[in-house]
Amino acid sequence: MLKFIGALLFAIGAIIVGWALGMEVTVGYVDKVYNTGLIANRLVYTVAGSSISIIGSIVGVAGMIMESFEKSNAEKLDVMKNINNGLADHLESK
C-alpha cells in the first residue's frame, strides 16, 4: 500500500512541477515584461511539487523496505513452524 501511495505522490508532484514550469510569467501584449509575482508563484509551485515528489519517493522506498522485512519475517515464521512440527529433524537427516 505504501508503494502505491508513494507512486501516487510522486506522480502528483511531477504533474505540479510540469505545470509550474509551463506557467506564463510575462505580461503585456506588445512589450512582454516579466512579472515578479508570477515568477514567485512559479517558484512556489515548483518547490511544492518537488517536495511532494521527494516525499513520494521516500514513502515508496519505505514501502519496498517494509515489504522485504515482512517477506523475511514470513520465511522465518515458516522455518519456526517447521521446527516445531519436527520437519527440521527430517530435513537434517537427508
Side-chain angles (χ1 to χ4, degrees), residues 41-64:
N41 280 342
R42 178 168 68 177
L43 177 68
V44 168
Y45 285 119
T46 304
V47 169
S50 300
S51 300
I52 292 170
S53 292
I54 291 170
I55 290 170
S57 63
I58 291 171
V59 169
V61 168
M64 289 178 197

Side-chain angles (χ1 to χ4, degrees), residues 8 14 16 20-21 29 32 35-36 43 46 57-58 66 71 73 81-83 85 93:
L8 185 65
I16 290 172
L21 292 177
Y29 293 109
K32 296 273 185 182
N35 186 336
T36 56
L43 177 68
T46 304
S57 63
I58 291 171
M66 287 181 58
K71 184 178 178 182
N73 285 340
K81 285 180 182 177
N82 290 339
I83 289 172
N85 291 334
S93 64

